[in-house]
Structures are given as C-alpha cells and as structure tokens.
Amino acid sequence: MLFRSSYVNTGDYHSLFLTGQGFIWQSGKLKALPLLNGWPGAFGFGINDRDQVVGTANRMDDSGNIIQTAVLWDHGQPKNLGTLEPNSVSFATDVNIWGVSVGGSAKLDAAYNTPVVWYGGTIHALPLLPGEDHGRAEEINALGVIVGRQGMGEESQIPCLWYWNGTGYTAVDLGSLGGTDGDAAAINNLGRVVGRSRYAGDMQEVGFLWDSGGLQSLPLLPSDTDSEAYNINDFGQIVGISYLVDDAGNFVSERSVIWENGNVLDLQTLVPSSAPPLTYSLGNINDLGEIAVDGTNPDGTSIGFLLVPTDDRIRARRFPGSLS
C-alpha cells in the first residue's frame, strides 16, 4: 500500500494547500483520504502497516495565512492530532506500527518548529540538545527511535535521534562530516539512519549512512558534486538524489538514485526508456524494494510511479486511477 497527495494546479500558491487531497494506492486503486470538517485541503506524509496515515489538514485564516494541523487517518477516518499551544500550526511526518506519530509544531509567528511526538493521545515536545532552539522529527521506527534534526538559526542544523529512556526521550547528536548543516531523514528497524551532511567549509553536502560505525558518506554518481539520502529499508537499500552544483554554487542537474551493496545507481537507467524523467520527491522504498517516485510529464506536471524490481531492471508502474 502506498500513500501520496494530489492537488489542482491553478497557478496560485494557495491551490497546493487548499485543493490538496491525500490518498492511498492499494491493489491497483486510488482511495481518497477524507478531509477534516472545515479543512479543505490535506497532505499525506507517512504510513504504517496498519492502514494508518499521517499528514496535515490545511485551511486559510481570515488574514490569508495558510494554517495547518497534524492529522492521523486511522483506517480512513481523520483525527486532528492538535498542536503544542493554541494559535499554532503542526504537521505529522511519520507513524510507526504502534500508532506513535512524529513531526513538528510552531506558533503562527514563529520562524522555526519544535520537534514533537504524539503518543497516549497527547502531543509532547521532544528535548533539544544544549545550544539548540528548534528542530523537527522526520521518522520513527517500530522500536520508537525517532530521527530528525535540531538547530540554532537557519544555517546550523545537526542530524539527531531520540530514544525512549523509560520515562521520556533522550536526544543524541549523530555528528557531521565536518560542516555545520545536516539532517537525519529516515531510520529502519535495525537502527540504521540516513540523511545528509555538509563537509567542512559547508560548500558540499552528501548523503550519509549512520550505524554502529558512525557517520559514513555515500558515493556520488560520476560528475556529480552533492547528494541526499531520503529513505532506507530493512535490507539496507537507500534511495535519494545525486546532483551537480557548479563552482558558483548554482544547481545544474539532479538524478534519482539507489544505493545498495556499497554502489550508487541512477534509477533512470534502470527503468524503460519510455519512462518520463524521474524527479525524486517524498518517495520511500519498502522491504520488497518497491520505490514510490514522481516523474515529469511533457507539459511539466507531475505523475506518480511505483518502481517495481524485476530480474534485470526496474519496471515503472504508473499509479492507475484518478481521484476525480
């Protein structure tokens, strides 16, 4: 089962939030996730093996501001998870098999989020490391270990994890490759973490794998300068992007990739030549090696694909069906 979001592109920035519709793709069919009453849009961000999905519900206030609240869909029924404080926003990024959800929450006028976890029917702030003032939780595994980032200011982020100590959560700095910015994006059930980290000087960032051996950089595709790792399954397969930045710091190109057995492969070379350009966006890889990924139509619109492993390559299977 897969989850994604769809929206009506009107050219207006607000249309993304106010027409967004989360959905589940299962057994070849799309099923829309119902909206919260009074919230015209929604996104789905995370899913577990118990038909539970988390994300956000979206609306506009009287001043034209987009307001979001975290949502849990339990077997299709939406529940407002709430925020840390009144007059705040929140979002949920992932949910584990026990229904524990993670994400972030912030006051409407705040520049940054507080990392949070929802359990026992209540939202809880996750602890920050000394010197840090904000962060967000990205993913949680079946053992309740959470990964994400913390920081002080916009350009000082560190990848971190939180583990349950018996009475609450303890935060752990995962380190860096020498730079001052990074993020832990995903964790599998074996406790292996992936994300991105900058090298000393902050001019280059690459995807990393963190395990018992510490933080290790992942290889780049030939001619690329940077990369990011987005997700890892329990077999150690990692997906993300490898991209090229020129000497002036300008973005040049980007490719969707998979890391396995110490090697990096361009996903575009593993799908049929008739497949459109793949643009890795919020996709995950499951323990069957199936990858959810976006492609780009000739008119520039996005299209969702499920990449299914075969004996010698990957088959790109378009999400069939429509929400309309």
Side-chain angles (χ1 to χ4, degrees):
M1 179 167 57
L2 295 169
F3 69 95
R4 300 294 280 180
S5 297
S6 176
Y7 72 99
V8 178
N9 185 3
T10 66
D12 180 1
Y13 164 78
H14 295 97
S15 66
L16 170 64
F17 297 92
L18 302 181
T19 68
Q21 177 76 68
F23 67 82
I24 291 176
W25 184 80
Q26 186 176 31
S27 302
K29 296 181 180 179
L30 295 182
K31 181 180 179 181
L33 294 169
L35 298 170
L36 277 176
N37 185 32
W39 299 77
F43 302 137
F45 293 146
I47 191 170
N48 65 16
D49 291 334
R50 295 175 53 200
D51 292 346
Q52 292 177 313
V53 178
V54 292
T56 67
N58 316 312
R59 64 176 176 85
M60 185 185 296
D61 67 13
D62 294 337
S63 300
N65 300 310
I66 295 296
I67 307 298
Q68 294 185 299
T69 188
V71 177
L72 168 69
W73 286 271
D74 191 353
H75 293 80
Q77 297 305 307
K79 176 185 178 182
N80 191 337
L81 292 177
T83 61
L84 271 178
E85 302 177 70
N87 300 316
S88 297
V89 295
S90 64
F91 58 89
T93 54
D94 196 34
V95 57
N96 71 5
I97 192 67
W98 309 110
V100 180
S101 306
V102 297
S105 184
K107 293 182 178 180
L108 292 180
D109 58 353
Y112 303 109
N113 296 294
T114 297
V116 298
V117 56
W118 288 268
Y119 62 86
T122 306
I123 185 173
H124 306 265
L126 289 165
L128 297 171
L129 291 161
E132 312 301 346
D133 65 2
H134 68 274
R136 61 180 281 162
E138 302 281 9
E139 196 166 283
I140 180 171
N141 69 10
L143 299 178
V145 183
I146 302 167
V147 294
R149 65 176 184 259
Q150 298 183 33
M152 172 65 73
E154 185 175 353
E155 293 299 326
S156 178
Q157 310 284 328
I158 58 172
C160 67
L161 66 75
W162 294 268
Y163 68 89
W164 183 257
N165 60 26
T167 58
Y169 280 93
T170 295
V172 177
D173 183 349
L174 297 184
S176 78
L177 295 173
T180 63
D181 187 61
D183 183 23
I187 182 170
N188 68 11
N189 289 320
L190 301 179
R192 307 181 81 191
V193 180
V194 296
R196 60 173 180 83
S197 180
R198 290 182 183 175
Y199 287 121
D202 290 338
M203 297 300 294
Q204 180 188 15
E205 70 176 8
V206 296
F208 71 75
L209 169 67
W210 180 92
D211 57 16
S212 58
L215 206 68
Q216 311 145 51
S217 62
L218 295 169
L220 299 165
L221 286 175
S223 78
D224 283 348
T225 58
D226 298 73
S227 65
E228 297 182 30
Y230 290 159
N231 196 252
I232 180 171
N233 65 14
D234 286 347
F235 292 96
Q237 294 175 302
I238 302 166
V239 288
I241 58 172
S242 181
Y243 59 99
L244 175 63
V245 176
D246 65 20
D247 292 339
N250 300 311
F251 175 83
V252 177
S253 62
E254 174 184 278
R255 290 179 281 181
S256 303
V257 297
I258 181 170
W259 289 274
E260 53 183 351
N261 301 320
N263 300 311
V264 59
L265 299 171
D266 182 349
L267 283 174
Q268 195 75 53
T269 67
L270 303 179
V271 299
S273 58
S274 58
L278 301 178
T279 53
Y280 203 91
S281 175
L282 300 179
N284 290 339
I285 182 169
N286 65 17
D287 288 342
L288 298 177
E290 297 172 335
I291 305 168
V293 65
D294 285 347
T296 303
N297 286 315
D299 64 359
T301 58
S302 296
I303 181 173
F305 282 93
L306 176 65
L307 304 186
V308 181
T310 62
D311 291 339
D312 58 351
R313 60 191 298 119
I314 294 176
R315 178 163 56 94
R317 183 178 180 186
R318 178 177 177 176
F319 293 160
S322 172
L323 291 177
S324 59

